[in-house]
Structures are given as C-alpha cells and as structure tokens.
Amino acid sequence: MNQIAVPTFATADNQPPALGEFNAWSIDRVLVDTVKREGGGWIEKEALAMGALAGSERMRTLAAQANRHTPELVTHDAYGGRLDRVDYHPAYHELMSLAFGAGLHSLAWTAKRDGAFVARAALYYLWNQGENGVSCPVTMSFAAAHLLRHDPALAAQWEPKLFARDYDPRPLHVSQKRAATIGMAMTEKQGGSDLRSNSTEALAAGGGEYLLTGHKWFCSAPMSDGFFTLARLDGGVTCFFVPRSLPDGTRNPFLLQRLKDKLGNRSNASAEVEYQGTRARLIGAEGRGISTIIEMAHLTRFDIVISNAAMMRAALVQALHHVSHRHAFGRRLVEQPLMRNVLADLALEWEAATLLAFRLASASDHAAKDERERLLSRVMTPIAKYWSCKRAPAVALEAMECVGGSGYVEELPLARLYRETPVNGIWEGSGNVICLDVLRSIARAPASVEALLAEIRAGGQRLAPAADRLANELKDRATIEERSRRVVELAALALQASLMVRHAPAAAADAFCATRLDGDWGRAFGTLPASADRDAVLGRLEWE
C-alpha cells in the first residue's frame, strides 16, 4: 500500500517562551530599596506574597477572564420589578476577594505603625502590575475612610466593615455584611469636571436624612454598598453619603440606567445613575461639598500615581522578556544597540515615576506631624498625577512596539495595559483640571512653594538651575494659567531628577538629568545621548 505523505507544520521557532511564574517584588530592586528607605520595609513578608501573585499565571488568567467577560446590567426581574444589579464573571469576584483580602484598601489605616502609607502603596503597586479594574473599588474604599470621619456615627457603623480583610458582594444592609465597599458618583452630564454646575437636589427628610433627586453621568463601581455624592441645598453644592441598602433590608432607590462601554478598565463597571427620592446623609458642611469630596479625591489621585508607576513596570517586564529571547539580525534583540537605547530610556522613565510615587507615599505618612510634608503632599499629588498620567500611555505604547505584532494581540496583556492607561488621566480630574488644582493649592498655601523648591534643591547643585527656573515661572502670575501645563511639567521633572540624583545609580541619574532636564534628548524613547551609560542603566534590569 502506498503511504500518503502527511504535511508537517513548522514549530514556532524564534519565539519567546511563556513568561512563567516570577515574583514581582523580589526581582524589583528599585521597589524593594525604595520601600525600605521610605519606611515601609516591614511589609516585606506580605509584599513577597503579593509579588508572587502579581507574577503568577493565576493572576494573568483571572485578569484576562474578568476583562473578556465584562459586567452585565440587570435592571428588572421577570415580573418588571427593579433590580438595578450588575452581574460579574466569577474571575472578577475572585480578584476582588484577593485584593480586599490582602488589605489593599485598608492597610494604611489599620497598620497603626510608621510607614503605613508606603507599605500599603507597595502592595497596591504590585497588584496594579496584574489587574487594574479592581483597583477602582479598592482605591475608593481606601479613600472613603477619611471622608466617613466627618460623621462619627456613620464611621462607627461603617469602618469595621470597610476595614475588614474580606469581600462580601451580597446586596444587604451594612449591618448584615462581613465587609463593605464604597464608591463615588459626582459628575453630571451637563457639567463633567465643573461640579458647581451639578443640578441634583437634596430635600431634608428629618432625622439627619435627605432625599436626593437627580442624575449622575458617571458612577464608579455601582455594585458598592455606599456612595459619596454631591447634591444641592440652599447653601450650595453639598456632599452626601448614599447607602445602597436601608436598615429595613430594602434597596435605596438607585436606578442604574446603563453601563458605560469603555475603551479600557472593562472588568470594572461604570454606570449612569438616577436618584428618585434616594435617602442620604449629609457629610461635612452645607455648601462645602466640593472641598469635602476633594479630600477623598486627594487620596484617589495618590493611588493613580502609584498605579501609573506600576503599569510602566508591567509594560517594561513584558518588553524585557520578549527582547531577551527574540533573535533578529544575528543576535538577541536585547543585544541590539538601538533596542538597548529604547529599553534604557523606558527604564529611566519607570524608575523616576516609582521614586516620585513612593516619595509621595512617604510625605503622606508624615503629613499629620510635619507641616512641610503636609504641604508637599498636597502640592506634589496633583503634580505627580498629571505627569505620570502623560507618561504611562507612552511607556505602554513603546513597550508594545518592542514586542512587535504579538504585543498588539490580545493573548498578551500589553493590549489591555495600553487601554487601561488613559483612564487615569481622565478619572479624578483631566490634565487641565489637575494643573489648575496645583495653582489653587499654591494660592491657598504659598508656603507650599518653598516646600516644593526645597525638595527639588535637596538633589544638590545639579538641581539648582531647575529650581530657580521653576521659582521664576511661579512668580510670573500674569499668564500662569495658560502656562500651567509647562509649569507643572517642569515641577514634575525637577522632582524626579532630584530623587534620581539622591537615590538612583549615578549612570541612571546622569542620563535622566541630561535628557529630561538639560534637553539632550529627542522626542521619543530611544533617543538617549551617546554619553548615557545604557549598559549600567540596564544592568539591574536584565530579565534573563
């Protein structure tokens, strides 16, 4: 019998192996050294566990599933009754259990020891290398604790459930739950960032309660157990707390009209909400709602700075893994001079972002007892938020280009990571809003300028010209609003350069200052000057 020739197919040669398991904490020397230096080194045991999770196939699988099988809105039951429920894939619930079980939302408040903000930021940084949608309810629950304390009775009821290292998605009153989460609903369709144009109205109902009527264009994490929101009283826009379930077990009117079909952040639901006689409690002073809610936004903006640095790290890891295995033109990509220029440039951007993020965490730790640190925390948060939000998408895009076509395909996390990065630049204030907030912060606390300049000058004589230039820019008040992006960018780069000079190896600090401060740079990554020691910069980062 004649044999039939069966065609064979070539194996996938010259492809990198699967990323495999790694510990995102132990391989990150910059992170480990920074956390220890800034006072959070005692978190190492928990950070090792979180690092193993962040670098695991389990996390990658859960993240992919939760973002592929997006939340679904269920408005009514079979008989026409309102449900206003969001259904999630099991992977999302598992991610929530892991994040809240690790205390990502509460450690800064419950640790009761020095360096708690830095330690908690380390865990949050590691988590954000794996999945970013869950970070939305995590950060809002973290920031909510500060606002709850405006009402001691409310805080006494909610804090034990809010701080619990547990996750309980059941739609019950807080008294019946093991744990609780808190969201936000501020913006309205006619105003967006202009919260003074909000039209939702509040009517006193007695007993310290109010009834809200109106809409919210964006409600973050609509499955939460409570929400901070804004509504009008005679005295102006005021902050309120809306419980999702009432003491008698009924659901507070909280009508979910639709879920937003977002570019990224798809594992996390964002909804349009209608209030119809929705019960709420006043938080803070009447007419002071915006300044009250900014207290919460200050903390969520801080988390955005951490998550941006983490996403840069995640993108860099993907690029390093690929170029360490892929061959082209006779050698590995990582050995190609131009690729090394790109990688070194990305590494500088990530390291500077990380140092700034954890310096901000340290300032938050000391703000209660040190006036200079308090001022620095207030002004540095929007500065870091603005600049890190501009840089994270650029880093993700360049990392995707390092990987090539495979990076553009959904099997790798780079495509999802790239879609995730823009939301941080929009959420909690777009670029213009953030820059104007820096100006307001300085106007209200002029001493913050000296705190900022002192932090920059701590980098030594090399930072003196940048500090002097920033001081002059801030003195010229006539056109400062239209120049505010330039001013904030200069402040961010000077802060990063100061931290690099103080804490990074000389080669990395020299390259960062030469490019970002002195202008010996192109307009894209991979344009480091010939004087930059790329091998030294990459020496701590070689993947394999």
Side-chain angles (χ1 to χ4, degrees), residues 61-76:
T61 299
L62 290 172
Q65 290 175 340
N67 283 273
R68 185 180 303 116
H69 305 286
T70 55
E72 296 182 356
L73 176 61
V74 182
T75 56
H76 295 79

Side-chain angles (χ1 to χ4, degrees), residues 160-183:
K161 304 301 175 72
L162 184 61
F163 290 166
R165 288 197 174 198
D166 200 352
Y167 169 61
D168 184 353
R170 296 176 300 165
L172 302 173
H173 185 257
V174 65
S175 63
Q176 298 176 280
K177 297 189 61 133
R178 302 188 312 272
T181 59
I182 292 179

Side-chain angles (χ1 to χ4, degrees), residues 131-473:
E131 209 285 317
N132 310 108
V134 165
S135 297
C136 178
V138 166
T139 188
M140 288 189 299
S141 296
F142 156 65
H146 183 69
L147 225 53
L148 279 175
R149 291 170 183 174
H150 281 275
D151 185 332
L154 196 64
Q157 181 184 37
W158 280 79
E159 276 192 6
K161 304 301 175 72
L162 184 61
F163 290 166
R165 288 197 174 198
D166 200 352
Y167 169 61
D168 184 353
R170 296 176 300 165
L172 302 173
H173 185 257
V174 65
S175 63
Q176 298 176 280
K177 297 189 61 133
R178 302 188 312 272
T181 59
I182 292 179
M184 301 169 70
M186 294 191 298
T187 59
E188 297 182 4
K189 62 187 103 176
Q190 76 280 357
S193 297
D194 184 7
L195 299 177
R196 288 178 176 81
S197 68
N198 279 13
S199 61
T200 297
E201 295 183 350
L203 179 67
E209 288 197 335
Y210 293 78
L211 301 179
L212 307 187
T213 301
H215 77 278
K216 294 296 168 184
W217 190 229
F218 276 92
C219 172
S220 299
M223 72 295 180
S224 300
D225 299 295
F227 301 86
F228 287 105
T229 193
L230 297 174
R232 285 193 171 276
L233 288 171
D234 291 341
V237 176
T238 303
C239 183
F240 292 89
F241 180 74
V242 174
R244 190 63 184 87
S245 292
L246 300 173
D248 63 3
T250 61
R251 299 289 269 173
N252 206 3
F254 195 84
L255 311 183
L256 303 181
Q257 304 295 25
R258 66 169 176 164
L259 299 185
K260 301 288 191 177
D261 187 8
K262 298 173 294 185
L263 168 69
N265 200 245
R266 297 184 67 82
S267 66
N268 174 55
S270 300
E272 294 173 26
V273 177
E274 295 287 340
Y275 298 144
Q276 294 184 9
T278 305
R279 292 192 171 273
R281 289 177 65 99
L282 185 146
I283 300 293
E286 180 176 342
R288 300 288 298 168
I290 296 173
S291 60
T292 302
I293 208 76
I294 286 295
E295 296 175 27
M296 185 172 177
H298 180 74
L299 291 170
T300 52
R301 288 172 180 175
F302 160 70
D303 270 5
I304 285 172
V305 177
I306 300 295
S307 68
N308 281 335
M311 287 191 281
M312 292 184 202
R313 173 66 184 183
L316 182 58
V317 164
Q318 291 290 325
L320 286 169
H321 175 70
H322 181 86
V323 302
S324 295
H325 294 276
R326 180 82 164 180
H327 286 75
F329 311 110
R331 51 185 164 176
R332 292 185 304 157
L333 284 175
V334 74
E335 298 168 338
Q336 304 281 359
L338 185 52
M339 180 61 79
R340 293 184 71 77
N341 197 317
V342 172
L343 293 169
D345 218 350
L346 291 174
L348 292 176
E349 196 71 41
W350 153 73
E351 182 166 1
T354 300
L355 293 181
L356 183 56
F358 281 91
R359 177 63 184 93
L360 182 55
S362 177
S364 299
D365 268 322
H366 296 98
K369 297 179 180 179
D370 187 320
E371 178 63 8
R372 181 178 174 276
E373 292 293 282
R374 185 189 71 80
L375 291 169
L376 193 60
S377 171
R378 178 62 186 89
V379 72
M380 195 161 63
T381 296
I383 290 172
K385 197 268 190 190
Y386 171 79
W387 189 236
S388 68
C389 287
K390 296 303 179 189
R391 304 309 293 156
V395 170
L397 177 60
E398 195 68 53
M400 186 183 295
E401 193 169 325
C402 290
V403 175
S406 297
Y408 195 68
V409 176
E410 293 292 342
E411 277 91 344
L412 291 181
L414 273 170
R416 184 180 75 247
L417 192 68
Y418 181 61
R419 290 195 306 274
E420 288 285 357
T421 53
V423 73
N424 280 345
I426 298 170
W427 190 49
E428 298 296 27
S430 57
N432 288 351
V433 171
I434 295 299
C435 288
L436 295 176
D437 186 54
V438 173
L439 300 187
R440 281 192 296 271
S441 176
I442 290 172
R444 291 171 181 169
S448 62
V449 174
E450 285 309 311
L452 181 62
L453 294 175
E455 182 67 21
I456 293 168
R457 291 192 173 109
Q461 188 58 36
R462 187 165 195 174
L463 274 296
D468 292 343
R469 181 183 163 198
L470 179 60
N472 290 331
E473 291 276 4

